[in-house]
Amino acid sequence: EVQLVESGGGLVQPGGSLRLSCTASGFALSNYWMSWVRQAPGKGLELVANINQHGSPTYFVDSVKGRFTISRDDAKNSLNLQMNSLRAEDTAVYYCARDVRPGPTLYWFDPWGQGALVTVSS
Amino acid sequence: DIQVTQSPSSVSASVGDRVTITCRASQSMSSFLNWYQQRPGKAPKLLIYAASNLQSGAPSRFSGSGSGTDFTLTINSLQPEDFATYYCQHLYTFGQGTKLEIK
């Protein structure tokens, strides 16, 4: 069964750091683009960052540029999101998702992990 | 960047009803539009990809249509488990979401 499981969420003070991980089973992460999507409380979905199958980050939403990094650990079949200089507005559930990309301008996210809650508060 | 506007933001309906949700783009998206369902407290799930293709495992009462700038998600014969929030997505952009509530 194809599955994604996030870990590493929690409560952190403004300015602090947190590292999320997403472990895949049923497929090799290294064969796919992967993404992090977040959802602030009561709000919609926002793509945060993605990484291509070669392990190169390709996108960061403007609000996290310079603060978040995305990486992959192929040995552990896991995806990571390192979040530094966290702000209250980064509070959200963070989902990892596999990109399905039949073409450069057509892709969708499937499956999704269950999500990890990140709360930035003093 | 293409802007995506989803409507309505919320809709009330009864079990057995038919509901239509729309996504409109600021410029043509060809058929590159996907739909997700998110139940409360759960992760989103892919329903429809490339405008009209039903994801494996999704019930056949869900259907998608459209191309260019106007797309529609239709749910026929609403079931209790369909009351959720629905999002469209094109490239890096998600629609604002439509909350489907029980009347």
Side-chain angles (χ1 to χ4, degrees):
Chain A
E1 181 189 6
V2 172
Q3 193 174 12
L4 297 166
V5 177
E6 298 95 340
S7 59
L11 173 64
V12 60
Q13 292 188 339
S17 297
L18 207 59
R19 184 179 181 87
L20 300 181
S21 293
C22 169
T23 301
S25 57
F27 72 101
L29 273 182
S30 57
N31 291 335
Y32 291 87
W33 289 61
M34 294 293 297
S35 295
W36 287 98
V37 178
R38 69 182 176 184
Q39 186 170 39
K43 302 297 184 183
L45 301 170
E46 178 182 52
L47 178 65
V48 175
N50 63 23
I51 188 168
N52 65 21
Q53 70 271 39
H54 304 299
S56 299
T58 58
Y59 174 82
F60 291 95
V61 67
D62 285 347
S63 59
V64 309
K65 285 179 180 176
R67 301 188 298 122
F68 289 14
T69 58
I70 185 171
S71 62
R72 212 175 62 203
D73 185 335
D74 291 344
K76 295 182 178 179
N77 208 29
S78 66
L79 176 73
N80 302 305
L81 185 69
Q82 178 67 42
M83 303 181 291
N84 299 329
S85 302
L86 282 161
R87 306 167 180 167
E89 53 266 35
D90 295 317
T91 294
V93 175
Y94 285 73
Y95 297 100
C96 67
R98 184 179 70 174
D99 291 26
V100 179
R101 291 186 172 238
T105 54
L106 172 59
Y107 52 87
W108 52 86
F109 304 107
D110 180 67
W112 298 58
Q114 86 286 355
L117 176 61
V118 173
T119 303
V120 184
S121 175
S122 55
Chain B
D1 290 355
I2 295 178
Q3 306 302 314
V4 175
T5 303
Q6 190 175 336
S7 62
S9 57
S10 65
V11 58
S12 295
S14 302
V15 172
D17 284 353
R18 178 184 182 186
V19 167
T20 298
I21 299 168
T22 297
C23 263
R24 177 162 289 170
S26 57
Q27 60 190 81
S28 178
M29 299 189 290
S30 185
S31 62
F32 304 156
L33 191 285
N34 312 302
W35 293 97
Y36 301 84
Q37 176 194 64
Q38 186 178 32
R39 294 185 175 125
K42 300 295 186 182
K45 284 181 62 176
L46 178 69
L47 272 180
I48 302 283
Y49 62 91
S52 61
N53 296 277
L54 189 67
Q55 172 67 351
S56 175
S60 58
R61 60 182 179 273
F62 291 92
S63 63
S65 64
S67 64
T69 61
D70 293 291
F71 297 82
T72 300
L73 173 69
T74 299
I75 314 171
N76 288 302
S77 187
L78 275 171
Q79 297 301 300
E81 60 267 29
D82 299 337
F83 293 94
T85 300
Y86 294 85
Y87 294 92
C88 59
Q89 172 251 328
H90 170 70
L91 297 180
Y92 295 161
T93 301
F94 289 91
Q96 299 83 354
T98 296
K99 186 174 184 179
L100 175 54
E101 298 174 301
I102 299 176
K103 185 181 290 184

